Amino acid sequence: GIDVKIRPSPDFPTWAKRISNWDFDVTADGVFNWGDPVIGVNRTYLCNNIRKGVIWSNTQNYCNPQVDDILTQASMEVDTVKRKALYAKFQKMVADDLPVYWLFMTPFQTVYDKNLRNLPTSIWGLVSPWDELYFEKQSK
């Protein structure tokens, strides 16, 4: 019972312009949040990041000053337990407000040669520096 008009974009720049200029009712996107919420999560939810014309900002125009306060506190918190509790509170608030509806989690798999050594094992994965990777010489 809902009339939908699908506007496929011919290319990425066209899609990015539409989204960043709020020319949509519903869209789908995969936002990469990097290894720390300050880098990736804040940009999606902070009131001061509602920036027309800027892709991957707060394009849904969500503004909740309480969420801003929690994200600001969490960004400065050095105690891991306290920081985790702040992000849990943040998650509950945005789950209730629902400015973004998460449909799925993108899995990131990596395949390595069995002789490659010193693989990146941090939260940064393949965006880690590769300068210390090396291939172990095979014995004959």
Side-chain angles (χ1 to χ4, degrees):
I2 298 173
D3 290 328
V4 176
K5 179 182 176 188
I6 297 175
R7 295 186 304 160
S9 299
D11 51 42
F12 175 77
T14 303
W15 175 84
K17 184 176 180 182
R18 284 180 186 164
I19 302 312
S20 66
N21 286 295
W22 314 331
D23 182 18
F24 66 95
D25 292 318
V26 176
T27 189
D29 188 10
V31 178
F32 190 75
N33 289 316
W34 296 98
D36 189 286
V38 173
I39 301 168
V41 174
N42 288 16
R43 66 186 163 141
T44 304
Y45 297 98
L46 288 174
C47 297
N48 68 1
N49 205 35
I50 298 172
R51 299 179 182 187
K52 193 168 190 174
V54 179
I55 193 64
W56 294 307
S57 58
N58 185 343
T59 55
Q60 69 277 2
N61 294 279
Y62 173 72
C63 186
N64 182 332
Q66 291 177 312
V67 166
D68 281 13
D69 288 344
I70 292 169
L71 288 176
T72 300
Q73 289 174 46
S75 72
M76 296 183 289
E77 183 57 62
V78 294
D79 181 287
T80 307
V81 173
K82 290 179 183 176
R83 191 170 196 238
K84 184 177 178 181
L86 287 165
Y87 281 116
K89 189 174 180 180
F90 154 77
Q91 287 177 325
K92 172 76 171 102
M93 293 177 78
V94 296
D96 290 342
D97 291 349
L98 212 57
V100 174
Y101 189 80
W102 297 98
L103 296 174
F104 58 89
M105 176 78 164
T106 304
F108 290 96
Q109 292 94 9
T110 305
V111 177
Y112 297 102
D113 184 284
K114 65 182 178 181
N115 296 307
L116 189 59
R117 298 292 181 253
N118 210 24
L119 303 171
T121 57
S122 74
I123 57 174
W124 300 105
L126 285 179
V127 294
S128 298
W130 288 23
D131 61 331
E132 296 182 5
L133 291 174
Y134 64 92
F135 281 99
E136 181 177 81
K137 292 183 181 178
Q138 293 183 5
S139 58
K140 294 183 180 186

